[in-house]
Amino acid sequence: MTQTIYEAAGGRQAFLELAQAWHARCLADPIVGHAFSHGFHPQHSERLAAYWAEALGGPPDFTESMGDESNVVRMHSGNGEHQEMDERAEALFALALDDVGLLDARLRSTLNAYFHWANRTMSSNPKSAEHVPDGLPVARWSWDGPI
């Protein structure tokens, strides 16, 4: 039986550390930091870790207590085009993988591919959130891509 990405990465604690490392890099970055300049949830890293964990084969903690894909996509919608910020966020994610010691080549490749895909999904409604349907499940990702 193949391990999930969640298991291969090290589970809940690994995703929390990754979310904290990425968020710290984002806050310090002059381009990506702008996205957080208007404030963010006090448990942003914990919520992000739960979201990533669920998307990558972990427990459904995010949808059981924090929201669904519709909420996440809406939060990232209506902010205009920001390709430079998206590309920079992806670069910071790759650096955060280094920060937390996720060095396995296959795991890194899969996590980077997921983040690129998720980042593009979050940016798919630059003008408005009005077209995001209710009740979307968290988008799942496997070793082979979207499920």
Side-chain angles (χ1 to χ4, degrees), residues 60-81:
D61 295 343
F62 185 82
T63 55
E64 287 181 356
S65 63
M66 299 173 209
D68 62 15
E69 188 79 3
S70 297
N71 300 121
V72 176
V73 174
R74 282 187 190 114
M75 182 185 344
H76 292 88
S77 296
N79 298 310
E81 300 284 341

Side-chain angles (χ1 to χ4, degrees), residues 93-147:
F93 182 80
L95 292 171
L97 293 173
D98 293 337
D99 294 341
V100 299
L102 291 174
L103 305 176
D104 176 79
R106 181 176 182 223
L107 178 61
R108 287 177 68 88
S109 176
T110 301
L111 289 170
N112 280 315
Y114 162 74
F115 192 86
H116 174 78
W117 174 80
N119 199 20
R120 295 300 178 250
T121 300
M122 296 303 145
S123 298
S124 64
N125 298 289
K127 294 182 180 176
S128 171
E130 68 184 49
H131 299 294
V132 178
D134 291 333
L136 292 173
V138 169
R140 305 266 180 172
W141 189 267
S142 74
W143 291 105
D144 299 317
I147 297 174

